[in-house]
Amino acid sequence: MVETRPQVIDATGRAIDNGWTQLADAAPLPAAGGVILPLARLLATAEAVLPVRLGVLLAPGDAPDAVAALLHRLGVVAVSFPKFRDGRGFTQARSLREHFGYGGEIRAVGHVLPDQFLSLLRCGVSTVELAEGQDPAVWRSVLALRGGLDTRPVAERPLPLLRRLAAPIGIE
């Protein structure tokens, strides 16, 4: 059986190499490469020395703080969107960036729509796994419509003026 991997796009809407295989709970680990494990399986094998690069799949009900201690070992955190109207993945991505300072790849997987692309980027998502048959050009066209909208993750943007003015001033 030939293994196929879904197509992945980056923040520019360009297809990138998908070096990750998403594994189910009971699937055997490959000898090499990158694997995305469900949270429970990752936590069960966290102490083991594995011959693969590790990533985790956060289900909508999983709290990002469950992987906070392991973020330094993870090459990717995939946030799951089981339905396009389930927004918990946005919150998880933003929390990973802002509260835990995760600088690695955050990947949106599942049922995401091109209309959500700008919001995904603003929450800290860096890549999107496309459903079979989706065209990356459609996702790029969404970026062309953004106008002057700042799509940098919230954690990377400067504070708004009123928040800067409200910050305590250090006078010596």
Side-chain angles (χ1 to χ4, degrees):
M1 182 173 140
V2 176
E3 179 183 307
T4 60
R5 293 182 176 161
Q7 186 174 19
V8 175
I9 59 169
D10 64 9
T12 67
R14 304 274 180 228
I16 61 169
D17 178 42
N18 182 4
W20 297 92
T21 302
Q22 191 172 321
L23 295 182
D25 282 324
L29 286 173
V35 294
I36 299 173
L37 301 174
L39 178 60
R41 184 170 180 186
L42 175 75
L43 294 175
T45 61
E47 299 302 318
V49 176
L50 302 173
V52 294
R53 295 179 300 138
L54 289 176
V56 66
L57 173 66
L58 293 181
D62 294 337
D65 59 351
V67 295
L70 300 172
L71 288 175
H72 68 282
R73 293 185 56 197
L74 302 177
V76 64
V77 176
V79 291
S80 178
F81 290 83
K83 298 177 183 175
F84 74 90
R85 62 180 181 257
D86 187 340
R88 292 177 284 182
F90 292 100
T91 305
Q92 289 169 324
R94 188 166 177 176
S95 180
L96 287 165
R97 293 282 190 230
E98 289 184 23
H99 300 293
F100 301 107
Y102 183 64
E105 179 182 349
I106 298 178
R107 178 178 293 189
V109 301
H111 194 188
V112 289
L113 303 173
D115 292 351
Q116 297 170 317
F117 196 27
L118 295 176
S119 296
L120 289 166
L121 296 175
R122 291 185 75 176
C123 289
V125 170
S126 51
T127 59
V128 176
E129 186 177 284
L130 300 183
E132 188 174 332
Q134 280 189 322
D135 183 4
V138 174
W139 293 76
R140 284 191 301 276
S141 69
V142 170
L143 292 175
L145 299 174
R146 73 176 175 241
L149 182 65
D150 186 356
T151 56
R152 290 179 294 171
V154 172
E156 294 177 8
R157 285 186 255 147
L159 286 174
L161 178 60
L162 291 177
R163 297 251 332 260
R164 288 187 302 231
L165 292 174
I169 300 172
I171 300 176
E172 297 187 14

